[in-house]
Amino acid sequence: MTVPSPAAPSPAAPSPAAASPAASAPGATSPRGRQTAAGSTAQSDLMRAARGEPVERTPVWFMRQAGRSLPEYREVRSGVAMLDACMRPDLVVEITLQPVRRHGVDAAILFSDIVLPLKALGADLSIEPGVGPVIARPVRAMADVEALPAFEPEAMTFVAEAVQGVVAELGVTPLVGFAGAPYTLASYLIEGGPSKEHAKTKALMRGAPDVWHALMTRLADISGQFLRVQVDAGASAVQLFDSWAGGLSPADYRTHALPYSKMVFAIVADLDVPRIHFGVATGEILADMATAGVEVMGVDWRVPLDVAVTRIDASQAVQGNLDPTLVFAPWDVLEARAREVVVAGRAAPGHIFNLGHGVLPDTDPDVLTRLVELVHTLPVAD
Ligand code: 1CP
């Protein structure tokens, strides 16, 4: 399924206004999908579901499908630091394709991390094994925000190269590009690393609105431009991860987080790719998240999909939402729950099957393969 590399896309558009219009040349973003020599991704089940059109089979992919659950991932990652791996196009192509080959999922997601653009732009941060992102100089004051790097398209050439390499191998299977939402990114920058309560983040958010606004605006630009780089290079859809936004009350979310996520989605609005919005424990803020300028709402396992559709726009597709711990249950229990998810998903105009959060590292990959096969056999309508 190897196809020629896309015709030299620019690594990044300097601003939405300067973006090239949709075109149908190989490698270009067509209005409804990605044109490659093997055909267009536009008619894939994933893209059709995202647009709310009928599908042959329910499309399925898994958040964190590339990663520690796969022995072939552990092998190629051995001795290479996480963010170094993300910056090597040869490794990114290989790791991104591994779960597609193994599970037969309907989409690839770029192997990267939400903090990668900050690292590529020069921020002093790393991903510590078993911990997560850690930043040397946490953001606490305006001077720290000003010291953060601004977006530079030249720093992203390796991302464009990796995306081009992936889509050349994927044929008509779409690649999902992604970025971190400003709130979730800010939580790592302010706390200095992973945190449960996000107390420092919320203190800065409420106590220093000018610093907060400056930080969130900067992060919105970086994430939006990072998504553009991926789409320009060949990604067919984008997902914004606001993993920790569910820790905010609806009022705080609306005031302090949503406006900046809207900025991110606005930066890619002209690219005509499906935009997916996801967070964890977001039941109370789903309605607000749905207003960010998105076609697909990701839902975690806490809210049944047929309930989620009553909280979002009737035109929006849904993505989710099997509890990721169900892979450790007996197969008949997992199968029954997966069937329930597919039936509940029919309440939306389109449904992309996924877990309600990322694949857990101890997951048996054979269970995921079997789950993909199951979902593909289930009827898409009553
Ligand atoms: O060495 C390793 O293998 C480290 C584990 C790991 C991996 C495989 C990290 C550290 N990041 C990743 C890749 C990654 N990160 C992907 C891969 C693409 C795929 O899905 O296959 C994606 C989509 C992410 C995005 C990401 N990173 C999110 C949003 C998704 C989510 O899980 O909510 C978040 C919050 C991060 C931060 C992060 N990076 C890594 C860890 C362990 C964490 C979470 C730390 C925490 O608990 O706060």
Side-chain angles (χ1 to χ4, degrees), residues 62-68 73 77 82 109-114 127 131-133 178 184 188 194-195 241 243-244 280 357:
F62 304 116
M63 293 183 276
R64 296 273 180 109
Q65 64 190 15
R68 279 174 298 167
Y73 168 82
R77 267 293 317 284
M82 174 66 194
I109 180 160
L110 190 71
F111 177 72
S112 188
D113 193 83
I114 56 168
I127 292 185
V131 180
F178 76 92
T184 292
Y188 289 105
S195 145
F241 283 94
S243 304
W244 313 138
V280 184
H357 196 187

PDB file of all heavy atoms in Angstrom, residues 62-68 73 77 82 109-114 127 131-133 178 184 188 194-195 241 243-244 280 357, ligand 1:
ATOM      1  N   PHE A  62      -8.162   3.522  18.623  1.00  0.00           N
ATOM      2  CA  PHE A  62      -8.005   3.652  20.075  1.00  0.00           C
ATOM      3  C   PHE A  62      -7.049   4.783  20.413  1.00  0.00           C
ATOM      4  O   PHE A  62      -5.936   4.851  19.857  1.00  0.00           O
ATOM      5  CB  PHE A  62      -7.433   2.360  20.678  1.00  0.00           C
ATOM      6  CG  PHE A  62      -8.248   1.135  20.371  1.00  0.00           C
ATOM      7  CD1 PHE A  62      -7.712   0.108  19.613  1.00  0.00           C
ATOM      8  CD2 PHE A  62      -9.553   1.011  20.826  1.00  0.00           C
ATOM      9  CE1 PHE A  62      -8.448  -1.027  19.322  1.00  0.00           C
ATOM     10  CE2 PHE A  62     -10.309  -0.116  20.543  1.00  0.00           C
ATOM     11  CZ  PHE A  62      -9.759  -1.138  19.782  1.00  0.00           C
ATOM     12  N   MET A  63      -7.471   5.636  21.335  1.00  0.00           N
ATOM     13  CA  MET A  63      -6.535   6.635  21.848  1.00  0.00           C
ATOM     14  C   MET A  63      -5.369   5.885  22.503  1.00  0.00           C
ATOM     15  O   MET A  63      -5.580   4.879  23.184  1.00  0.00           O
ATOM     16  CB  MET A  63      -7.236   7.546  22.855  1.00  0.00           C
ATOM     17  CG  MET A  63      -8.297   8.418  22.182  1.00  0.00           C
ATOM     18  SD  MET A  63      -9.096   9.581  23.309  1.00  0.00           S
ATOM     19  CE  MET A  63     -10.353   8.540  24.024  1.00  0.00           C
ATOM     20  N   ARG A  64      -4.161   6.352  22.274  1.00  0.00           N
ATOM     21  CA  ARG A  64      -2.934   5.688  22.753  1.00  0.00           C
ATOM     22  C   ARG A  64      -2.792   4.267  22.192  1.00  0.00           C
ATOM     23  O   ARG A  64      -2.292   3.380  22.889  1.00  0.00           O
ATOM     24  CB  ARG A  64      -2.905   5.626  24.290  1.00  0.00           C
ATOM     25  CG  ARG A  64      -2.842   6.974  24.973  1.00  0.00           C
ATOM     26  CD  ARG A  64      -1.412   7.449  25.125  1.00  0.00           C
ATOM     27  NE  ARG A  64      -1.353   8.742  25.774  1.00  0.00           N
ATOM     28  CZ  ARG A  64      -0.913   8.921  27.007  1.00  0.00           C
ATOM     29  NH1 ARG A  64      -0.483   7.919  27.716  1.00  0.00           N
ATOM     30  NH2 ARG A  64      -0.866  10.139  27.503  1.00  0.00           N
ATOM     31  N   GLN A  65      -3.257   4.079  20.951  1.00  0.00           N
ATOM     32  CA  GLN A  65      -3.108   2.744  20.353  1.00  0.00           C
ATOM     33  C   GLN A  65      -1.650   2.419  20.067  1.00  0.00           C
ATOM     34  O   GLN A  65      -1.262   1.251  20.041  1.00  0.00           O
ATOM     35  CB  GLN A  65      -3.956   2.628  19.082  1.00  0.00           C
ATOM     36  CG  GLN A  65      -3.552   3.566  17.946  1.00  0.00           C
ATOM     37  CD  GLN A  65      -4.583   3.557  16.809  1.00  0.00           C
ATOM     38  OE1 GLN A  65      -5.702   3.083  16.968  1.00  0.00           O
ATOM     39  NE2 GLN A  65      -4.205   4.085  15.646  1.00  0.00           N
ATOM     40  N   ALA A  66      -0.842   3.462  19.825  1.00  0.00           N
ATOM     41  CA  ALA A  66       0.606   3.271  19.692  1.00  0.00           C
ATOM     42  C   ALA A  66       1.185   3.456  21.084  1.00  0.00           C
ATOM     43  O   ALA A  66       0.949   4.465  21.711  1.00  0.00           O
ATOM     44  CB  ALA A  66       1.189   4.309  18.736  1.00  0.00           C
ATOM     45  N   GLY A  67       1.906   2.485  21.569  1.00  0.00           N
ATOM     46  CA  GLY A  67       2.455   2.685  22.905  1.00  0.00           C
ATOM     47  C   GLY A  67       2.778   1.379  23.594  1.00  0.00           C
ATOM     48  O   GLY A  67       2.907   0.336  22.948  1.00  0.00           O
ATOM     49  N   ARG A  68       2.864   1.494  24.907  1.00  0.00           N
ATOM     50  CA  ARG A  68       3.486   0.413  25.672  1.00  0.00           C
ATOM     51  C   ARG A  68       2.739  -0.912  25.665  1.00  0.00           C
ATOM     52  O   ARG A  68       3.293  -1.927  26.064  1.00  0.00           O
ATOM     53  CB  ARG A  68       3.734   0.873  27.108  1.00  0.00           C
ATOM     54  CG  ARG A  68       5.002   1.705  27.217  1.00  0.00           C
ATOM     55  CD  ARG A  68       5.165   2.261  28.595  1.00  0.00           C
ATOM     56  NE  ARG A  68       4.064   3.151  28.910  1.00  0.00           N
ATOM     57  CZ  ARG A  68       3.795   3.609  30.129  1.00  0.00           C
ATOM     58  NH1 ARG A  68       4.526   3.226  31.140  1.00  0.00           N
ATOM     59  NH2 ARG A  68       2.807   4.449  30.326  1.00  0.00           N
ATOM     60  N   TYR A  73       6.430  -1.887  19.899  1.00  0.00           N
ATOM     61  CA  TYR A  73       6.699  -0.500  20.324  1.00  0.00           C
ATOM     62  C   TYR A  73       7.826  -0.489  21.354  1.00  0.00           C
ATOM     63  O   TYR A  73       8.794   0.272  21.241  1.00  0.00           O
ATOM     64  CB  TYR A  73       5.430   0.122  20.924  1.00  0.00           C
ATOM     65  CG  TYR A  73       5.673   1.445  21.649  1.00  0.00           C
ATOM     66  CD1 TYR A  73       5.756   2.635  20.942  1.00  0.00           C
ATOM     67  CD2 TYR A  73       5.834   1.492  23.041  1.00  0.00           C
ATOM     68  CE1 TYR A  73       5.986   3.847  21.593  1.00  0.00           C
ATOM     69  CE2 TYR A  73       6.062   2.694  23.698  1.00  0.00           C
ATOM     70  CZ  TYR A  73       6.136   3.860  22.972  1.00  0.00           C
ATOM     71  OH  TYR A  73       6.375   5.047  23.609  1.00  0.00           O
ATOM     72  N   ARG A  77      11.395   1.492  20.916  1.00  0.00           N
ATOM     73  CA  ARG A  77      11.614   2.600  21.841  1.00  0.00           C
ATOM     74  C   ARG A  77      12.779   2.365  22.795  1.00  0.00           C
ATOM     75  O   ARG A  77      13.205   3.310  23.474  1.00  0.00           O
ATOM     76  CB  ARG A  77      10.345   2.823  22.668  1.00  0.00           C
ATOM     77  CG  ARG A  77       9.334   3.846  22.144  1.00  0.00           C
ATOM     78  CD  ARG A  77       9.826   5.273  22.168  1.00  0.00           C
ATOM     79  NE  ARG A  77      10.529   5.648  23.389  1.00  0.00           N
ATOM     80  CZ  ARG A  77       9.957   5.912  24.540  1.00  0.00           C
ATOM     81  NH1 ARG A  77       8.652   5.861  24.660  1.00  0.00           N
ATOM     82  NH2 ARG A  77      10.674   6.244  25.597  1.00  0.00           N
ATOM     83  N   MET A  82      11.437   9.403  25.214  1.00  0.00           N
ATOM     84  CA  MET A  82      10.128   9.604  24.589  1.00  0.00           C
ATOM     85  C   MET A  82      10.125  10.771  23.589  1.00  0.00           C
ATOM     86  O   MET A  82       9.737  10.624  22.429  1.00  0.00           O
ATOM     87  CB  MET A  82       9.103   9.827  25.708  1.00  0.00           C
ATOM     88  CG  MET A  82       7.735  10.197  25.247  1.00  0.00           C
ATOM     89  SD  MET A  82       6.925   8.863  24.341  1.00  0.00           S
ATOM     90  CE  MET A  82       5.579   9.795  23.637  1.00  0.00           C
ATOM     91  N   ILE A 109      -3.186   7.353  14.582  1.00  0.00           N
ATOM     92  CA  ILE A 109      -2.994   8.648  15.252  1.00  0.00           C
ATOM     93  C   ILE A 109      -1.494   8.866  15.335  1.00  0.00           C
ATOM     94  O   ILE A 109      -0.743   7.927  15.663  1.00  0.00           O
ATOM     95  CB  ILE A 109      -3.668   8.731  16.637  1.00  0.00           C
ATOM     96  CG1 ILE A 109      -3.408  10.113  17.263  1.00  0.00           C
ATOM     97  CG2 ILE A 109      -3.237   7.593  17.548  1.00  0.00           C
ATOM     98  CD1 ILE A 109      -4.359  10.512  18.352  1.00  0.00           C
ATOM     99  N   LEU A 110      -1.099  10.075  15.000  1.00  0.00           N
ATOM    100  CA  LEU A 110       0.338  10.361  14.941  1.00  0.00           C
ATOM    101  C   LEU A 110       0.998  10.068  16.279  1.00  0.00           C
ATOM    102  O   LEU A 110       0.500  10.493  17.324  1.00  0.00           O
ATOM    103  CB  LEU A 110       0.566  11.825  14.562  1.00  0.00           C
ATOM    104  CG  LEU A 110       2.026  12.164  14.246  1.00  0.00           C
ATOM    105  CD1 LEU A 110       2.435  11.531  12.917  1.00  0.00           C
ATOM    106  CD2 LEU A 110       2.241  13.661  14.208  1.00  0.00           C
ATOM    107  N   PHE A 111       2.098   9.346  16.263  1.00  0.00           N
ATOM    108  CA  PHE A 111       2.854   9.131  17.494  1.00  0.00           C
ATOM    109  C   PHE A 111       3.569  10.425  17.841  1.00  0.00           C
ATOM    110  O   PHE A 111       4.455  10.887  17.121  1.00  0.00           O
ATOM    111  CB  PHE A 111       3.855   7.988  17.340  1.00  0.00           C
ATOM    112  CG  PHE A 111       4.681   7.817  18.580  1.00  0.00           C
ATOM    113  CD1 PHE A 111       4.113   7.289  19.722  1.00  0.00           C
ATOM    114  CD2 PHE A 111       5.992   8.219  18.623  1.00  0.00           C
ATOM    115  CE1 PHE A 111       4.844   7.165  20.893  1.00  0.00           C
ATOM    116  CE2 PHE A 111       6.741   8.094  19.792  1.00  0.00           C
ATOM    117  CZ  PHE A 111       6.156   7.566  20.921  1.00  0.00           C
ATOM    118  N   SER A 112       3.147  11.030  18.924  1.00  0.00           N
ATOM    119  CA  SER A 112       3.698  12.309  19.368  1.00  0.00           C
ATOM    120  C   SER A 112       3.250  12.498  20.809  1.00  0.00           C
ATOM    121  O   SER A 112       2.893  11.533  21.467  1.00  0.00           O
ATOM    122  CB  SER A 112       3.161  13.436  18.461  1.00  0.00           C
ATOM    123  OG  SER A 112       3.818  14.646  18.762  1.00  0.00           O
ATOM    124  N   ASP A 113       3.251  13.711  21.289  1.00  0.00           N
ATOM    125  CA  ASP A 113       2.725  13.987  22.625  1.00  0.00           C
ATOM    126  C   ASP A 113       2.224  15.419  22.637  1.00  0.00           C
ATOM    127  O   ASP A 113       2.681  16.247  21.842  1.00  0.00           O
ATOM    128  CB  ASP A 113       3.798  13.797  23.707  1.00  0.00           C
ATOM    129  CG  ASP A 113       3.161  13.774  25.092  1.00  0.00           C
ATOM    130  OD1 ASP A 113       2.676  12.702  25.504  1.00  0.00           O
ATOM    131  OD2 ASP A 113       3.089  14.831  25.739  1.00  0.00           O
ATOM    132  N   ILE A 114       1.323  15.705  23.579  1.00  0.00           N
ATOM    133  CA  ILE A 114       0.774  17.063  23.616  1.00  0.00           C
ATOM    134  C   ILE A 114       1.839  18.118  23.927  1.00  0.00           C
ATOM    135  O   ILE A 114       1.688  19.269  23.561  1.00  0.00           O
ATOM    136  CB  ILE A 114      -0.424  17.189  24.598  1.00  0.00           C
ATOM    137  CG1 ILE A 114      -0.045  16.752  26.004  1.00  0.00           C
ATOM    138  CG2 ILE A 114      -1.623  16.406  24.096  1.00  0.00           C
ATOM    139  CD1 ILE A 114      -1.094  17.136  27.049  1.00  0.00           C
ATOM    140  N   ILE A 127       9.828  14.036  29.089  1.00  0.00           N
ATOM    141  CA  ILE A 127       8.806  13.106  29.567  1.00  0.00           C
ATOM    142  C   ILE A 127       9.527  12.027  30.347  1.00  0.00           C
ATOM    143  O   ILE A 127      10.317  11.264  29.794  1.00  0.00           O
ATOM    144  CB  ILE A 127       7.977  12.537  28.400  1.00  0.00           C
ATOM    145  CG1 ILE A 127       7.129  13.666  27.800  1.00  0.00           C
ATOM    146  CG2 ILE A 127       7.094  11.398  28.884  1.00  0.00           C
ATOM    147  CD1 ILE A 127       6.164  13.235  26.720  1.00  0.00           C
ATOM    148  N   VAL A 131       6.094   8.696  34.659  1.00  0.00           N
ATOM    149  CA  VAL A 131       5.602   9.924  35.294  1.00  0.00           C
ATOM    150  C   VAL A 131       4.780  10.731  34.303  1.00  0.00           C
ATOM    151  O   VAL A 131       3.571  10.908  34.447  1.00  0.00           O
ATOM    152  CB  VAL A 131       6.770  10.791  35.831  1.00  0.00           C
ATOM    153  CG1 VAL A 131       6.248  12.064  36.486  1.00  0.00           C
ATOM    154  CG2 VAL A 131       7.622  10.004  36.807  1.00  0.00           C
ATOM    155  N   GLY A 132       5.448  11.232  33.278  1.00  0.00           N
ATOM    156  CA  GLY A 132       4.792  12.098  32.303  1.00  0.00           C
ATOM    157  C   GLY A 132       5.609  13.348  32.094  1.00  0.00           C
ATOM    158  O   GLY A 132       6.787  13.398  32.482  1.00  0.00           O
ATOM    159  N   PRO A 133       5.015  14.366  31.481  1.00  0.00           N
ATOM    160  CA  PRO A 133       5.779  15.579  31.151  1.00  0.00           C
ATOM    161  C   PRO A 133       6.230  16.334  32.399  1.00  0.00           C
ATOM    162  O   PRO A 133       5.454  16.526  33.338  1.00  0.00           O
ATOM    163  CB  PRO A 133       4.768  16.427  30.366  1.00  0.00           C
ATOM    164  CG  PRO A 133       3.691  15.479  29.937  1.00  0.00           C
ATOM    165  CD  PRO A 133       3.636  14.413  30.980  1.00  0.00           C
ATOM    166  N   PHE A 178      -3.125  15.512  16.158  1.00  0.00           N
ATOM    167  CA  PHE A 178      -3.680  15.961  17.435  1.00  0.00           C
ATOM    168  C   PHE A 178      -2.809  17.020  18.087  1.00  0.00           C
ATOM    169  O   PHE A 178      -1.648  17.237  17.705  1.00  0.00           O
ATOM    170  CB  PHE A 178      -3.890  14.782  18.405  1.00  0.00           C
ATOM    171  CG  PHE A 178      -2.626  14.271  19.040  1.00  0.00           C
ATOM    172  CD1 PHE A 178      -2.190  14.771  20.272  1.00  0.00           C
ATOM    173  CD2 PHE A 178      -1.866  13.293  18.428  1.00  0.00           C
ATOM    174  CE1 PHE A 178      -1.034  14.297  20.873  1.00  0.00           C
ATOM    175  CE2 PHE A 178      -0.702  12.806  19.014  1.00  0.00           C
ATOM    176  CZ  PHE A 178      -0.281  13.308  20.236  1.00  0.00           C
ATOM    177  N   THR A 184      -5.213  21.959  29.348  1.00  0.00           N
ATOM    178  CA  THR A 184      -4.443  20.776  29.752  1.00  0.00           C
ATOM    179  C   THR A 184      -2.945  21.039  29.643  1.00  0.00           C
ATOM    180  O   THR A 184      -2.162  20.662  30.527  1.00  0.00           O
ATOM    181  CB  THR A 184      -4.901  19.555  28.928  1.00  0.00           C
ATOM    182  OG1 THR A 184      -6.239  19.240  29.330  1.00  0.00           O
ATOM    183  CG2 THR A 184      -4.005  18.346  29.135  1.00  0.00           C
ATOM    184  N   TYR A 188       0.259  21.323  32.886  1.00  0.00           N
ATOM    185  CA  TYR A 188       1.627  20.778  33.005  1.00  0.00           C
ATOM    186  C   TYR A 188       2.652  21.895  33.202  1.00  0.00           C
ATOM    187  O   TYR A 188       3.581  21.769  34.000  1.00  0.00           O
ATOM    188  CB  TYR A 188       1.991  19.951  31.763  1.00  0.00           C
ATOM    189  CG  TYR A 188       1.237  18.642  31.711  1.00  0.00           C
ATOM    190  CD1 TYR A 188       0.182  18.466  30.842  1.00  0.00           C
ATOM    191  CD2 TYR A 188       1.569  17.602  32.567  1.00  0.00           C
ATOM    192  CE1 TYR A 188      -0.526  17.274  30.805  1.00  0.00           C
ATOM    193  CE2 TYR A 188       0.860  16.407  32.546  1.00  0.00           C
ATOM    194  CZ  TYR A 188      -0.183  16.255  31.666  1.00  0.00           C
ATOM    195  OH  TYR A 188      -0.877  15.080  31.655  1.00  0.00           O
ATOM    196  N   PRO A 194       2.843  16.235  36.065  1.00  0.00           N
ATOM    197  CA  PRO A 194       1.478  15.738  36.274  1.00  0.00           C
ATOM    198  C   PRO A 194       0.966  16.073  37.668  1.00  0.00           C
ATOM    199  O   PRO A 194       1.752  16.178  38.614  1.00  0.00           O
ATOM    200  CB  PRO A 194       1.615  14.219  36.103  1.00  0.00           C
ATOM    201  CG  PRO A 194       2.858  14.031  35.294  1.00  0.00           C
ATOM    202  CD  PRO A 194       3.766  15.158  35.681  1.00  0.00           C
ATOM    203  N   SER A 195      -0.340  16.271  37.794  1.00  0.00           N
ATOM    204  CA  SER A 195      -0.941  16.652  39.067  1.00  0.00           C
ATOM    205  C   SER A 195      -2.375  16.139  39.109  1.00  0.00           C
ATOM    206  O   SER A 195      -3.005  15.987  38.063  1.00  0.00           O
ATOM    207  CB  SER A 195      -0.919  18.182  39.178  1.00  0.00           C
ATOM    208  OG  SER A 195      -2.053  18.672  39.848  1.00  0.00           O
ATOM    209  N   PHE A 241      -7.002  17.251  22.579  1.00  0.00           N
ATOM    210  CA  PHE A 241      -7.112  16.575  23.870  1.00  0.00           C
ATOM    211  C   PHE A 241      -7.155  17.624  24.976  1.00  0.00           C
ATOM    212  O   PHE A 241      -6.144  18.285  25.237  1.00  0.00           O
ATOM    213  CB  PHE A 241      -5.885  15.692  24.121  1.00  0.00           C
ATOM    214  CG  PHE A 241      -5.870  14.388  23.357  1.00  0.00           C
ATOM    215  CD1 PHE A 241      -5.226  14.272  22.149  1.00  0.00           C
ATOM    216  CD2 PHE A 241      -6.485  13.252  23.879  1.00  0.00           C
ATOM    217  CE1 PHE A 241      -5.181  13.058  21.467  1.00  0.00           C
ATOM    218  CE2 PHE A 241      -6.449  12.031  23.205  1.00  0.00           C
ATOM    219  CZ  PHE A 241      -5.803  11.935  21.996  1.00  0.00           C
ATOM    220  N   SER A 243      -7.614  16.777  28.209  1.00  0.00           N
ATOM    221  CA  SER A 243      -7.779  15.655  29.126  1.00  0.00           C
ATOM    222  C   SER A 243      -8.234  16.075  30.519  1.00  0.00           C
ATOM    223  O   SER A 243      -9.030  15.393  31.140  1.00  0.00           O
ATOM    224  CB  SER A 243      -6.473  14.873  29.220  1.00  0.00           C
ATOM    225  OG  SER A 243      -6.087  14.464  27.933  1.00  0.00           O
ATOM    226  N   TRP A 244      -7.743  17.204  31.009  1.00  0.00           N
ATOM    227  CA  TRP A 244      -8.024  17.545  32.410  1.00  0.00           C
ATOM    228  C   TRP A 244      -9.089  18.633  32.580  1.00  0.00           C
ATOM    229  O   TRP A 244      -9.345  19.087  33.694  1.00  0.00           O
ATOM    230  CB  TRP A 244      -6.723  17.934  33.133  1.00  0.00           C
ATOM    231  CG  TRP A 244      -5.599  16.969  32.868  1.00  0.00           C
ATOM    232  CD1 TRP A 244      -4.291  17.295  32.622  1.00  0.00           C
ATOM    233  CD2 TRP A 244      -5.669  15.529  32.806  1.00  0.00           C
ATOM    234  NE1 TRP A 244      -3.550  16.150  32.397  1.00  0.00           N
ATOM    235  CE2 TRP A 244      -4.368  15.050  32.498  1.00  0.00           C
ATOM    236  CE3 TRP A 244      -6.684  14.587  32.957  1.00  0.00           C
ATOM    237  CZ2 TRP A 244      -4.074  13.689  32.363  1.00  0.00           C
ATOM    238  CZ3 TRP A 244      -6.388  13.232  32.800  1.00  0.00           C
ATOM    239  CH2 TRP A 244      -5.100  12.805  32.517  1.00  0.00           C
ATOM    240  N   VAL A 280     -11.590  14.055  29.692  1.00  0.00           N
ATOM    241  CA  VAL A 280     -11.955  12.999  30.647  1.00  0.00           C
ATOM    242  C   VAL A 280     -12.871  13.597  31.718  1.00  0.00           C
ATOM    243  O   VAL A 280     -12.636  14.730  32.173  1.00  0.00           O
ATOM    244  CB  VAL A 280     -10.681  12.420  31.318  1.00  0.00           C
ATOM    245  CG1 VAL A 280     -11.039  11.266  32.232  1.00  0.00           C
ATOM    246  CG2 VAL A 280      -9.686  11.962  30.252  1.00  0.00           C
ATOM    247  N   HIS A 357     -10.936   6.512  27.215  1.00  0.00           N
ATOM    248  CA  HIS A 357      -9.667   7.213  27.402  1.00  0.00           C
ATOM    249  C   HIS A 357      -8.610   6.297  26.792  1.00  0.00           C
ATOM    250  O   HIS A 357      -8.960   5.338  26.112  1.00  0.00           O
ATOM    251  CB  HIS A 357      -9.412   7.518  28.888  1.00  0.00           C
ATOM    252  CG  HIS A 357      -8.334   8.544  29.126  1.00  0.00           C
ATOM    253  ND1 HIS A 357      -7.862   8.862  30.371  1.00  0.00           N
ATOM    254  CD2 HIS A 357      -7.637   9.325  28.272  1.00  0.00           C
ATOM    255  CE1 HIS A 357      -6.928   9.798  30.273  1.00  0.00           C
ATOM    256  NE2 HIS A 357      -6.772  10.097  29.007  1.00  0.00           N
TER     257      HIS A 357
HETATM  258  O1  1CP B   1       7.792   6.161  27.233  1.00  0.00           O
HETATM  259  C1  1CP B   1       6.556   6.084  27.036  1.00  0.00           C
HETATM  260  O2  1CP B   1       6.088   5.189  26.329  1.00  0.00           O
HETATM  261  C2  1CP B   1       5.758   7.135  27.735  1.00  0.00           C
HETATM  262  C3  1CP B   1       4.287   7.018  27.634  1.00  0.00           C
HETATM  263  C4  1CP B   1       3.726   8.013  26.658  1.00  0.00           C
HETATM  264  C5  1CP B   1       3.276   7.764  25.356  1.00  0.00           C
HETATM  265  C6  1CP B   1       3.266   6.465  24.596  1.00  0.00           C
HETATM  266  C7  1CP B   1       3.570   9.389  26.908  1.00  0.00           C
HETATM  267  C8  1CP B   1       3.974  10.114  28.128  1.00  0.00           C
HETATM  268  N1  1CP B   1       3.018   9.972  25.784  1.00  0.00           N
HETATM  269  C9  1CP B   1       2.807   9.011  24.822  1.00  0.00           C
HETATM  270  C10 1CP B   1       2.290   9.228  23.458  1.00  0.00           C
HETATM  271  C11 1CP B   1       1.044   9.978  23.339  1.00  0.00           C
HETATM  272  N2  1CP B   1       0.650  11.036  24.109  1.00  0.00           N
HETATM  273  C12 1CP B   1       0.067   9.771  22.349  1.00  0.00           C
HETATM  274  C13 1CP B   1       0.307   8.722  21.273  1.00  0.00           C
HETATM  275  C14 1CP B   1      -0.486   8.518  20.148  1.00  0.00           C
HETATM  276  C15 1CP B   1      -1.490   7.398  20.351  1.00  0.00           C
HETATM  277  O3  1CP B   1      -2.583   7.654  20.880  1.00  0.00           O
HETATM  278  O4  1CP B   1      -1.201   6.275  19.950  1.00  0.00           O
HETATM  279  C16 1CP B   1      -0.954  10.695  22.582  1.00  0.00           C
HETATM  280  C17 1CP B   1      -2.245  10.873  21.815  1.00  0.00           C
HETATM  281  C18 1CP B   1      -0.571  11.473  23.704  1.00  0.00           C
HETATM  282  C19 1CP B   1      -1.332  12.621  24.224  1.00  0.00           C
HETATM  283  C20 1CP B   1      -1.165  12.982  25.647  1.00  0.00           C
HETATM  284  N3  1CP B   1      -0.013  13.120  26.370  1.00  0.00           N
HETATM  285  C21 1CP B   1      -2.239  13.368  26.482  1.00  0.00           C
HETATM  286  C22 1CP B   1      -3.659  13.435  26.038  1.00  0.00           C
HETATM  287  C23 1CP B   1      -4.266  12.073  25.992  1.00  0.00           C
HETATM  288  C24 1CP B   1      -4.610  11.507  27.338  1.00  0.00           C
HETATM  289  O5  1CP B   1      -4.101  10.412  27.626  1.00  0.00           O
HETATM  290  O6  1CP B   1      -5.379  12.132  28.070  1.00  0.00           O
HETATM  291  C25 1CP B   1      -1.725  13.696  27.745  1.00  0.00           C
HETATM  292  C26 1CP B   1      -2.491  14.158  28.950  1.00  0.00           C
HETATM  293  C27 1CP B   1      -0.315  13.540  27.662  1.00  0.00           C
HETATM  294  C28 1CP B   1       0.659  13.796  28.731  1.00  0.00           C
HETATM  295  C29 1CP B   1       1.411  12.568  29.035  1.00  0.00           C
HETATM  296  N4  1CP B   1       2.417  12.104  28.245  1.00  0.00           N
HETATM  297  C30 1CP B   1       2.906  10.928  28.738  1.00  0.00           C
HETATM  298  C31 1CP B   1       2.159  10.629  29.927  1.00  0.00           C
HETATM  299  C32 1CP B   1       2.367   9.434  30.808  1.00  0.00           C
HETATM  300  C33 1CP B   1       1.209  11.656  30.087  1.00  0.00           C
HETATM  301  C34 1CP B   1       0.135  11.764  31.182  1.00  0.00           C
HETATM  302  C35 1CP B   1       0.725  12.199  32.487  1.00  0.00           C
HETATM  303  C36 1CP B   1      -0.365  12.550  33.500  1.00  0.00           C
HETATM  304  O7  1CP B   1      -0.957  11.635  34.086  1.00  0.00           O
HETATM  305  O8  1CP B   1      -0.607  13.753  33.721  1.00  0.00           O
END
